[in-house]
Amino acid sequence: MPSHALKRSTLLALCACVLVAQSMVAAVNLLIPQLTSSSLRPSPSEILWTVDAYVIVFAGLLIPAGALGDRYGRKGALLAGLALFAAGAATSALAPAPALLIAGRGICGAGAALITPATLSVLLQLAGPRQRAQAMAAWTLAMGLGGLAGNLGGGLAGQFLSWRALFAAMVPLAALLALAVAVTTPRTDRSPHSALDPAGTLLLTGGLVAVLFGIIEGPVYGWAAPRILTAFAAGALLVTAFVLRSLRTPRPLFDPRVFAAPRLRATVLGLATGFFGLFALFYVNSQYLQGVKGYGPARTGVAIVPLIVGMALVPKLAARWTAYPRTVIGGGLALIGLGLLGVSTAGAGTPYAGYACWLLVISAGTGLCMPALTLGVVTSLPPHQAGLGSGLGTSARETGAALGVAVAGTVLASHGDFAHGMGPALRTVALLVLAATAAVVAGYGGPGRTAATRAGQAAGPAPAQTGTGPAVRTKPGIR
């Protein structure tokens, strides 16, 4: 596929797909009160799993889903993901019991795991060198708009419609997106040298799911609870087994030696750090605006709009500084940390305009660093593993998001009430973001793509032609 093959219609269709997939991470959080009082009568545990099932399945399957698209076709993986997404949404919309509602959320998450890396991988395959920075900026903006759309859709449904209406609306929307992809998106070259390694896939997926379960449920049961410690131990054992197997097998899912490159490690840490800060903010923002400021669900969804401004405008400026990724990434992550420190000073008497200014700072930081970080991960692996690279990057995002909510929730729980805990929670998150930023900047001083690419090619040569939250507790929140 020639490098100039990326058309505007294709870019819009792919970005719309990732926007919808990302929106369902956030939307259900604002529906928690309505779900709690619905005829399903879910228990607190079932409410938590309704929120968590999507994220756990989504993040747990991202890496193997990306590899699957590389091997058998990225467009096919995307269309299959949209079909799964629609099936999961229909299951949730028609669910007569909480178990089917949760199952539908999990099926949706599996669809999103196919959709997200496939969209980014296709963009990379079709975009030439001059288009890549703009394509990454558009894809990153779609991720941010997905959070906004989820908050807004969940808020409107919670205030004016029903939770079933939100899930039902996803079915025809996924069908329309599948039609748009079928018409606008060409097939890219498959990568027969990409390995799936079923045993390794099971080990890695099981390990990620166990770790995510521990992170998400830790604030609920306590970090020292037996089930949480067991989850972390199981996750560590499974991931270790995956690494050992991958080092011995001739064709692993991916070669863990790619992490010998400091720049790849720094880029993955940077993606996780950015989403760590953002999703901690989302979790606190909803409770602040509704519980402290007295906003309704719909108004709360709209109030997050300033976060989109910087994501939309700043990448166009950052594209001029692509030769200085260390500065762009370090500056963007630092702005996120400083913005969180600013938000931590908000209280009941803070005017919304002042609060929104700090959201703009965070937004500008996100728009500055995320396109460069996204491109850095996917280009750290050989071109025939673009889907795997995008899955790795998105897995880092989701893990960082889960950690952000977990840390903010834990600090909040240690205080008597939300009003007294909000400031310490956001300051803790901000300081962690700034500390991680220093590590990311230091990592960018090491060697770049070459070492990572050499290690990645151990799985097999590239083909000749080559052309990505965690639970809110029982309170309504934003992911």
Side-chain angles (χ1 to χ4, degrees), residues 358-381:
W358 290 117
L359 296 184
L360 287 171
V361 172
I362 296 171
S363 175
T366 304
L368 188 62
C369 68
M370 282 300 160
L373 286 167
T374 300
L375 187 60
V377 169
V378 295
T379 57
S380 293
L381 294 175

Side-chain angles (χ1 to χ4, degrees), residues 9-10 13-14 17 74-76 78-79 82 119 122 174-187:
S9 59
T10 305
L14 295 176
C17 289
R74 301 172 182 96
K75 181 176 180 179
L78 176 53
L79 291 172
L82 288 167
T119 55
V122 170
L176 286 174
L177 289 174
L179 178 61
V181 168
V183 171
T184 66
T185 304
R187 294 190 180 275

Side-chain angles (χ1 to χ4, degrees), residues 34-102:
Q34 192 180 99
L35 280 168
T36 302
S37 60
S38 71
S39 60
L40 296 185
R41 297 179 181 176
S43 66
S45 176
E46 288 168 335
I47 285 288
L48 290 178
W49 275 106
T50 299
V51 176
D52 294 346
Y54 187 91
V55 178
I56 289 176
V57 176
F58 180 22
L61 293 178
L62 276 165
I63 293 176
L68 189 71
D70 287 336
R71 179 68 181 270
Y72 295 108
R74 301 172 182 96
K75 181 176 180 179
L78 176 53
L79 291 172
L82 288 167
L84 271 178
F85 189 88
T91 301
S92 294
L94 300 173
L100 277 179
L101 173 62
I102 294 168

Side-chain angles (χ1 to χ4, degrees), residues 9-37:
S9 59
T10 305
L11 178 63
L12 290 174
L14 295 176
C15 287
C17 289
V18 76
L19 185 155
V20 171
Q22 189 67 21
S23 72
M24 289 306 285
V25 177
V28 74
N29 292 325
L30 295 180
L31 297 175
I32 290 176
Q34 192 180 99
L35 280 168
T36 302
S37 60

Side-chain angles (χ1 to χ4, degrees), residues 137-167:
W139 191 88
T140 303
L141 175 60
M143 291 279 285
L145 288 174
L148 171 64
N151 289 314
L152 185 57
L156 291 172
Q159 192 159 341
F160 302 114
L161 299 172
S162 73
W163 62 269
R164 291 188 189 274
L166 180 67
F167 289 117

Side-chain angles (χ1 to χ4, degrees), residues 185-214:
T185 304
R187 294 190 180 275
T188 58
D189 294 330
R190 298 183 184 184
S191 302
H193 299 287
S194 295
L196 293 180
D197 185 18
T201 296
L202 287 174
L203 289 171
L204 180 60
T205 301
L208 288 175
V209 167
V211 169
L212 283 166
F213 173 84

